[in-house]
């Protein structure tokens, strides 16, 4: 070896290289080529390139250790393999996710199909109407029960306005409910309205509405309506309400109806600043009538009096009720003291004119009544807040204008008002009952009247 790069101290110069493969096999080798060998100097596998000089007996060898030559390739290979392996893992996870997602969606599709089949089974077999209503307020789906409830086949109702056929008086109510759901202010609504049957019969419908939202945008995309025929129920409710507020014996309103009506008319009169009048009627000596004739005839007497009172309360706002036992009451909205007194006298004379025999009556041979009256313009206080402040009693007879002395009185309460019932002295020309109430600072009958025969029995 003549020289070696990097050999600054001449450690390798002069070594005998004749026994190496480069020279022993030189007859087999070309003048220049790539040559692999194990270095006799450092024992490393080397990759080299050699070339023989054409002018001189020299061989030049350029060599690198195999590991150094392959280091860059190995590094790039490791990087590439890492990327490839990462991509393979990512593709594996992605593929697994896609497969599982496809399987899940397939299961969901099967479940959805099963649920849709169940829904259609329920919708088609249910007696209630099931509808799908779009944002344009048109029917997108209707169950077959529409033909039973409304008389129209389901296919005839599709793509028709959902509000068609609703009674004009209820259309605004239904429209408000639909608008509230469409704007997203509420998710559910329940309404009761009247609808037109195909045969022109009016039916009552109760509908539960629920807004639906798009799975993509989250906005309201329509509503589901479940409707049922409640006509029979409304009829029963009306009948039940009538029974709850009607006296079974006389057919007049009962105490419940009286309480409700009196409070309503009191508030109305206070709001409109009109006069509210009230008549309290008591059948004279009715216990003696029952003792004399028996309860069946006593009931018949009360029926006759009830029919008479009903015939004389002709205005829609007037109400005659059986207050309890042999006591009746008449509420007269927007009636002044004079009109109230006039009606009281008509009722007294009319009942006496029925000529219902009463042999046990101490001062008459027919059934008579006593009428108490009150007229008031309600103040700002509530009805329950009015209290009694007893004024002097003044009753006037048919014969002369004189105050009748009182021999007995009893008290009772009605709607927070204390009432006193006075009996007339037996020596007076007229016997009976007189009702007197003070509302706040206003005195009711009889002191509010000019002297005249208001209570005559």
């Amino acid at each position: 070896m003549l020289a070696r790069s990097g050999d600054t101290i001449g450690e390798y110069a002069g070594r005998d290289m004749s026994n190496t493969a480069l020279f022993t096999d030189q007859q087999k080798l070309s003048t220049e080529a790539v040559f692999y060998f194990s270095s006799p100097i450092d024992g490393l596998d080397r990759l080299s390139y050699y070339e023989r000089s054409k002018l001189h007996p020299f061989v030049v060898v350029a060599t690198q250790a195999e590991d150094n030559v392959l280091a860059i390739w190995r590094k790039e290979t490791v990087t590439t393999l890492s990327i490839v392996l990462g991509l393979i893992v990512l593709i594996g996870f992605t593929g697994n996710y896609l497969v599982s997602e496809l399987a899940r969606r397939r299961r969901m599709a099967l479940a959805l199909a099963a649920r849709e089949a169940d829904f259609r089974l329920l919708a088609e077999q249910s007696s209630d109407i099931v509808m799908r209503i779009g944002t344009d307020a048109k029917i997108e789906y209707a169950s077959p029960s529409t033909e039973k409830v409304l008389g129209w086949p389901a296919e005839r109702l599709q793509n028709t306005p959902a509000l068609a056929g609703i009674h004009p008086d209820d259309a605004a109510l239904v429209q408000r409910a639909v608008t509230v759901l469409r704007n997203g202010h509420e998710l559910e609504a329940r309404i009761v309205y009247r609808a037109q049957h195909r045969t022109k019969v009016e039916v009552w419908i109760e509908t539960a509405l629920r807004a639906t939202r798009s799975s993509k945008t989250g906005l309201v995309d329509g509503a589901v309506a479940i409707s049922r025929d409640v006509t029979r129920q409304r009829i029963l409710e009306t009948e039940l309400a009538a029974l709850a507020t009607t006296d079974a014996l006389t057919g007049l309103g009962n105490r419940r109806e009286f309480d409700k009506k009196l409070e309503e008319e009191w508030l109305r009169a206070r709001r409109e600043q009109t006069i509210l009048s009230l008549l309290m009627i008591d059948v004279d000596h009715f216990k003696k009538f029952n003792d004399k004739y028996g309860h069946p005839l006593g009931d018949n007497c009360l029926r006759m009096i009830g029919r008479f009172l009903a015939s004389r309360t002709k205005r829609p706002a007037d109400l005659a009720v059986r207050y309890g036992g042999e006591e009746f009451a008449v509420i007269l909205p927007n009636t002044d003291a004079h009109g109230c007194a006039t009606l009281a006298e008509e009722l007294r004379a009319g009942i006496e004119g029925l000529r219902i025999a009463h042999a046990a009556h101490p001062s008459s041979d027919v059934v008579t009544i006593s009428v108490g009256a009150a007229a008031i313009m309600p103040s700002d206080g509530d009805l329950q807040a009015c209290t009694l402040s007893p004024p002097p009693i003044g009753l006037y007879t048919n014969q002369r204008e004189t105050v009748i002395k009182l021999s007995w009185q009893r008290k009772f309460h009605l709607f927070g008002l204390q009432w006193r019932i006075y009996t007339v002295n037996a020596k007076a020309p007229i016997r009976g009952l007189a009702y007197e109430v003070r509302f706040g600072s206003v005195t009711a009958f009889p002191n509010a009247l000019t002297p005249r025969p208001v209570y005559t029995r």
Side-chain angles (χ1 to χ4, degrees):
M1 178 176 294
L2 299 180
R4 188 172 188 270
S5 64
D7 183 13
T8 58
I9 60 176
E11 178 182 0
Y12 298 105
R15 285 196 178 192
D16 183 9
M17 303 296 294
S18 59
N19 61 344
T20 62
L22 179 62
F23 294 100
T24 57
D25 298 336
Q26 60 179 335
Q27 300 299 327
K28 302 177 183 178
L29 298 177
S30 60
T31 56
E32 57 181 33
V34 176
F35 185 68
Y36 292 92
F37 68 99
S38 179
S39 174
I41 298 176
D42 52 20
L44 298 178
D45 293 333
R46 290 182 171 275
L47 174 63
S48 61
Y49 175 81
Y50 71 90
E51 183 177 351
R52 288 191 180 93
S53 175
K54 296 178 180 180
L55 299 178
H56 306 286
F58 296 143
V59 176
V60 179
V61 180
T63 182
Q64 280 278 1
E66 184 177 352
D67 289 341
N68 293 338
V69 174
L70 299 178
I72 297 175
W73 175 84
R74 286 173 178 168
K75 181 178 180 180
E76 293 178 351
T77 301
V78 170
T79 303
T80 303
L81 286 177
S82 299
I83 295 174
V84 170
L85 289 176
L87 291 175
I88 291 174
V89 172
L90 178 62
I91 292 172
F93 278 112
T94 304
N96 182 67
Y97 171 78
L98 291 176
V99 171
S100 62
E101 186 69 13
L102 289 174
R104 186 181 68 86
R105 294 201 174 193
R106 185 173 180 275
R107 290 194 299 270
M108 288 179 60
L110 293 175
L112 183 61
R115 289 184 180 181
E116 183 178 357
D118 293 340
F119 168 77
R120 287 190 175 274
L121 178 63
L122 293 174
E124 292 174 1
Q125 299 301 321
S126 174
S127 58
D128 293 347
I129 299 175
V130 180
M131 288 187 179
R132 166 69 177 173
I133 303 174
T135 53
D136 56 355
K138 289 187 176 181
I139 300 173
E140 297 179 353
Y141 168 80
S143 62
S145 54
T146 54
E147 187 166 5
K148 179 181 178 181
V149 177
L150 299 175
W152 293 98
E155 56 272 14
R156 290 284 300 275
L157 294 179
Q158 290 185 3
N159 297 320
T160 61
L163 302 183
I166 296 178
H167 193 282
D169 294 342
D170 299 331
L173 171 66
V174 180
Q175 181 63 59
R176 283 197 299 271
V178 172
T179 302
V180 168
L181 292 178
R182 182 188 299 167
N183 294 338
H185 300 313
E186 297 287 345
L187 291 179
E188 295 181 352
R190 185 176 296 272
I191 49 179
V192 178
Y193 56 91
R194 289 161 292 178
Q196 198 76 22
H197 193 272
R198 188 178 185 181
T199 59
K200 306 302 181 183
V201 178
E202 188 176 87
V203 294
W204 282 92
I205 302 295
E206 181 184 52
T207 298
L209 290 167
R210 182 173 181 83
T212 59
R213 295 183 180 274
S214 171
S215 58
K216 296 180 180 180
T217 63
L219 301 177
V220 174
D221 61 355
V224 174
I226 300 178
S227 306
R228 61 191 181 100
D229 186 352
V230 294
T231 304
R232 178 63 178 169
Q233 179 181 338
R234 293 287 294 192
I235 294 174
L236 293 177
E237 288 177 353
T238 303
E239 293 176 352
L240 182 60
L243 290 174
T245 57
T246 302
D247 177 61
L249 179 64
T250 62
L252 299 177
N254 58 11
R255 175 68 178 272
R256 183 193 301 271
E257 179 70 4
F258 174 81
D259 293 347
K260 178 182 176 183
K261 181 72 171 180
L262 183 59
E263 183 174 5
E264 290 176 355
E265 295 301 335
W266 177 278
L267 297 175
R268 188 197 310 276
R270 188 183 68 179
R271 183 172 61 252
E272 299 176 359
Q273 286 298 288
T274 56
I275 298 176
L276 175 64
S277 294
L278 174 66
L279 299 180
M280 297 296 292
I281 301 169
D282 189 272
V283 181
D284 298 330
H285 308 289
F286 189 70
K287 183 178 184 304
K288 294 181 179 180
F289 185 95
N290 277 334
D291 294 341
K292 176 70 176 177
Y293 299 102
H295 288 283
L297 289 181
D299 291 345
N300 189 51
C301 174
L302 293 178
R303 289 191 193 95
M304 295 177 66
I305 294 175
R307 286 195 295 268
F308 180 82
L309 294 178
S311 67
R312 292 300 185 272
T313 52
K314 299 178 180 179
R315 297 186 308 174
D318 296 343
L319 177 67
V321 301
R322 184 186 180 195
Y323 188 73
E326 71 276 15
E327 298 174 348
F328 296 85
V330 180
I331 300 175
L332 302 170
N334 200 19
T335 303
D336 59 12
H338 178 73
C340 183
T342 301
L343 181 59
E345 173 59 20
E346 289 179 0
L347 296 179
R348 184 209 62 78
I351 296 298
E352 187 173 355
L354 295 177
R355 308 302 296 173
I356 305 173
H358 190 350
H361 199 297
S363 60
S364 175
D365 57 353
V366 296
V367 172
T368 61
I369 62 172
S370 296
V371 182
I376 180 65
M377 180 177 291
S379 62
D380 292 335
D382 292 333
L383 179 61
Q384 291 79 3
C386 298
T387 57
L388 173 70
S389 178
I393 301 301
L395 295 179
Y396 300 93
T397 69
N398 287 323
Q399 287 77 14
R400 61 190 183 279
E401 297 176 2
T402 179
V403 175
I404 300 175
K405 297 181 179 180
L406 307 175
S407 60
W408 174 87
Q409 65 174 327
R410 74 179 171 90
K411 302 177 182 179
F412 67 96
H413 288 81
L414 169 63
F415 278 99
L417 303 177
Q418 184 178 353
W419 297 71
R420 291 191 180 189
I421 306 177
Y422 301 88
T423 60
V424 181
N425 192 300
K427 295 181 181 180
I430 300 172
R431 292 187 296 277
L433 299 177
Y435 296 78
E436 184 181 80
V437 182
R438 179 181 290 270
F439 297 85
S441 61
V442 181
T443 303
F445 286 149
N447 295 319
L449 298 177
T450 56
R452 57 173 293 165
V454 177
Y455 308 100
T456 59
R457 220 47 187 161

